[in-house]
Amino acid sequence: MSLSRLRLTAGNVCLVLFFAFLFSGFWGGINSAYAMPAPPQVTAYGSTAEVVENQSTHKVDLTFQFVISSPQDFESVWADIYNGDDTAIAEGVYFNQQGVVQEAYSQVYGQVYAFTYSFGHSVYDPYIIVRSAYDNSMETVHFPEGEYEPPESGGGGGGGGGSSAPETVETEETDTGTVFTDPDGSVTVSLSTTKVEEQLAADPEMTAIAVELPQVEDGPTALQLPTGLVNSLANGGKELIVRSQGVDFTIPPAALQVPEVADQIAAGKDVQIRLSISNLPSEEAAAAFDGLTDEAREGKQFLGRVQQFEVAVMADGEEVSGISRFNRPLRLALAYDDADTAGVDEATLNVYQLVDGEAVFVGGKVDADNNLVIANLNHFSSYAIMAYAKNFADLANHWSKQDVDLMVSKYVVTGYPDETFRPDTNITRAEFAALLVRALGLDVVQPEAAAFTDVAAEEWYFEAVAAVKAAGLSSGYPDGTFKPNKTINRQEMAAMVANALTASGYQADLTEAEISAALKEFADGAEVAGWARYGAALAVSAGIVQGRGADNFAPEGLASRAESAVMLKRMMLLADYL
């Protein structure tokens, strides 16, 4: 070929390449903002099984790695892990939730990312599906075939020897996750983020997800929650209702978003929360009651059942801590049998925490129609239902006996050391503040500063008065005092009870006409102070306060201990506390 033809050919090639470069650069610039990220490159390697020292359980570690090409790709990728029979054993392992990475070590892209997932049970022929939300792509990666059981332990190290065939963990898929039944009969329900979110997406009006845990004769039933699901429920304002073994408990949104979990996530751990429930065998339950002090058993009738609740934070398959206090109280409902309450006033049933020989009152809203006793829990422990009653000789023929007895059984009011109640004795403002705190279950904390100028830190009522002010139940007097030792009058008590009723969520926005109408029922209604008119009218219209005599409100009349107990009982019924 001649030199001139070579030059022409080379020139044509260069010209073509030049235009091609311009063309590709032009269109590449336009399309770059719209290009879908490439599916993640995924490879799997390694699989180990090991016995956890000093425990009867073992864990299986599955490790996989993949390449993340961009931050956007990182935020759209997650993985699901399945057993060889296509049952899910972990879902939503790796994903991004509203800009916060969950169950991942760090936000890395442009390099190989390695992730290890641990299981407290055997797995076999596992595989991983990695998904990308951007282009709905999926890539499936299989691990080496085999059954990953723990090696036979005990008897020292060294050489061979045969081993018996491992027992199989049974699995069952449900609408919300997977049920694992171990050979020893213990059951773990592992919730699936994907399944739960699909249910919520299918019904936007759904306010809660209900999970039924299987009944187990001996041993615990456990519920395992991935922290991604915990955060998803919290962000959506959804409750989780768990039912098992005569127990219902409701987990409100964000209740499990606690420091113990946040610390493990921050450390780059794969974190799950494990809740377990077990019934003590009847002999052990009886021993637990017998182990209480004489004072703790006094006045109580034990119904024969003790239930243990435990919560653990699991990081990389290992239990690392408990949870000292839930972010919000859990609502616990314990069931009882009619046969257990023969001769017992069901209204006096309560839930107690059994700890260190003491029976600590937790709560006692009784749902007699469904044989349930309901209480709010700030932490897990051992709990039992007991009836509590205490009789006072000076109440035998008193008009308030029935209501006072109920308030005594709920630990709202108490008697005197000489075994009297003194129902007609007047009550001070500090004493009534303490009753309100107990009736509403208000948290009592040591305030940084005194709530009122005349309430000193060394006084027994210091914390109770501060709690009443913090809850908006009383603002005291205009001069900044509370007058704790002043006997409370009826209009003061009515105003504080009305504030408590409103704080509990009771809806009653009275108009001025409604306020006037309520107070006109009494001959002395016009004598109610201006600041107390709304509270007095609300208390009257709600049936909490009744008149003295035929038609008097007696706003300046001094209130008695019996009147305070009756008013609080009526308020608690309206507030759904009883």
Side-chain angles (χ1 to χ4, degrees):
M1 182 180 295
S2 66
L3 182 60
S4 62
R5 290 186 65 189
L6 284 172
R7 286 174 176 170
L8 178 60
T9 301
N12 291 339
V13 170
C14 289
L15 185 61
V16 171
L17 291 175
F18 174 72
F19 281 114
F21 172 76
L22 289 178
F23 183 81
S24 63
F26 174 74
W27 285 107
I30 291 178
N31 289 330
S32 60
Y34 303 95
M36 302 294 273
Q41 303 172 28
V42 185
T43 59
Y45 74 93
S47 181
T48 61
E50 61 177 309
V51 174
V52 179
E53 293 295 331
N54 301 320
Q55 296 186 29
S56 60
T57 59
H58 67 281
K59 71 172 185 175
V60 176
D61 291 339
L62 301 179
T63 302
F64 64 96
Q65 59 181 202
F66 52 92
V67 175
I68 297 300
S69 58
S70 70
Q72 292 79 18
D73 200 21
F74 180 88
E75 293 174 359
S76 68
V77 175
W78 69 95
D80 299 333
I81 306 177
Y82 295 85
N83 258 329
D85 62 355
D86 299 329
T87 57
I89 52 179
E91 294 184 280
V93 169
Y94 179 85
F95 67 101
N96 181 281
Q97 177 70 35
Q98 294 193 352
V100 179
V101 178
Q102 305 294 341
E103 299 181 353
Y105 291 120
S106 59
Q107 190 163 334
V108 289
Y109 52 90
Q111 56 184 293
V112 173
Y113 182 89
F115 186 83
T116 300
Y117 202 86
S118 298
F119 302 90
H121 51 76
S122 61
V123 298
Y124 57 95
D125 299 343
Y127 64 92
I128 291 175
I129 296 179
V130 179
R131 309 172 190 269
S132 172
Y134 269 75
D135 58 1
N136 204 29
S137 64
M138 297 188 300
E139 184 156 354
T140 302
V141 178
H142 285 266
F143 284 85
E145 290 186 3
E147 192 158 331
Y148 303 103
E149 291 281 355
E152 198 168 327
S153 60
S163 62
S164 59
E167 295 182 272
T168 303
V169 175
E170 297 180 5
T171 62
E172 178 186 352
E173 291 298 310
T174 69
D175 291 340
T176 54
T178 307
V179 180
F180 298 95
T181 304
D182 287 335
D184 63 2
S186 61
V187 174
T188 298
V189 176
S190 179
L191 291 189
S192 162
T193 302
T194 301
K195 289 183 177 181
V196 171
E197 289 183 342
E198 285 176 352
Q199 284 196 29
L200 294 173
D203 183 2
E205 300 300 318
M206 187 181 296
T207 60
I209 285 290
V211 179
E212 190 84 32
L213 303 186
Q215 296 287 330
V216 178
E217 276 191 34
D218 297 313
T221 301
L223 177 69
Q224 198 139 309
L225 300 165
T227 51
L229 177 57
V230 170
N231 293 329
S232 180
L233 293 174
N235 292 332
K238 310 296 185 183
E239 293 181 334
L240 179 63
I241 301 172
V242 183
R243 300 187 174 100
S244 176
Q245 309 197 91
V247 174
D248 284 14
F249 61 89
T250 302
I251 304 174
L256 299 178
Q257 290 183 322
V258 295
E260 292 91 339
V261 172
D263 290 345
Q264 295 301 318
I265 292 175
K269 305 291 187 181
D270 166 43
V271 186
Q272 299 209 13
I273 300 171
R274 183 179 178 87
L275 309 172
S276 63
I277 308 168
S278 59
N279 289 322
L280 284 186
S282 57
E283 292 183 0
E284 292 183 29
F289 178 74
D290 292 340
L292 298 177
T293 64
D294 292 342
E295 184 179 0
R297 290 199 306 271
E298 183 180 359
K300 297 183 181 68
Q301 181 168 333
F302 177 51
L303 299 196
R305 183 183 303 170
V306 176
Q307 286 155 315
Q308 290 183 323
F309 300 82
E310 296 179 344
V311 57
V313 178
M314 313 293 292
D316 291 344
E318 302 286 347
E319 181 178 336
V320 293
S321 73
I323 292 178
S324 59
R325 185 180 178 86
F326 300 124
N327 195 27
R328 295 180 185 176
L330 273 59
R331 181 179 181 272
L332 172 70
L334 294 182
Y336 61 90
D337 297 326
D338 288 332
D340 298 329
T341 57
V344 173
D345 180 1
E346 292 183 35
T348 65
L349 296 177
N350 299 313
V351 176
Y352 293 86
Q353 178 192 6
L354 307 185
V355 56
D356 298 331
E358 299 296 330
V360 181
F361 172 76
V362 178
K365 173 180 166 53
V366 178
D367 179 357
D369 292 336
N370 296 298
N371 285 19
L372 296 172
V373 185
I374 301 163
N376 291 326
L377 304 183
N378 290 312
H379 55 81
F380 272 171
S381 184
S382 296
Y383 298 95
I385 297 175
M386 303 182 207
Y388 174 63
K390 187 174 179 65
N391 294 315
F392 298 99
D394 57 348
L395 276 176
N397 299 308
H398 199 272
W399 64 270
S400 68
K401 175 176 170 54
Q402 185 175 3
D403 288 348
V404 171
D405 284 348
L406 180 60
M407 290 294 92
V408 168
S409 76
K410 303 304 175 185
Y411 298 84
V412 175
V413 298
T414 58
Y416 288 90
D418 64 357
E419 301 298 318
T420 62
F421 185 78
R422 305 176 195 176
D424 298 317
T425 299
N426 293 331
I427 184 171
T428 67
R429 287 169 54 82
E431 289 171 333
F432 190 67
L435 299 188
L436 277 175
V437 168
R438 293 198 287 268
L440 296 181
L442 298 179
D443 286 333
V444 178
V445 296
Q446 185 74 19
E448 295 181 1
F452 301 98
T453 58
D454 60 345
V455 178
E458 62 270 16
E459 298 292 348
W460 68 266
Y461 48 76
F462 178 70
E463 293 178 348
V465 170
V468 163
K469 182 181 181 181
L473 309 187
S474 176
S475 58
Y477 289 88
D479 63 358
T481 63
F482 185 76
K483 296 182 173 49
N485 296 313
K486 174 180 176 293
T487 302
I488 194 169
N489 61 40
R490 283 170 53 83
Q491 67 180 357
E492 289 174 330
M493 184 178 288
M496 292 173 72
V497 168
N499 288 338
L501 186 62
T502 301
S504 72
Y506 185 83
Q507 300 294 323
D509 294 327
L510 300 182
T511 64
E512 180 57 36
E514 290 171 327
I515 294 172
S516 297
L519 296 181
K520 280 182 179 178
E521 294 182 13
F522 304 99
D524 59 353
E527 298 175 15
V528 175
W531 60 266
R533 279 173 52 80
Y534 182 87
L538 175 56
V540 169
S541 62
I544 296 174
V545 176
Q546 298 174 355
R548 274 189 177 174
D551 58 356
N552 285 321
F553 185 87
E556 295 288 347
L558 300 182
S560 69
R561 283 169 51 82
E563 287 177 317
S564 68
V566 172
M567 286 189 194
L568 289 175
K569 177 254 186 177
R570 293 170 180 165
M571 182 272 294
M572 292 176 70
L573 281 173
L574 286 171
D576 202 29
Y577 288 179
L578 291 175

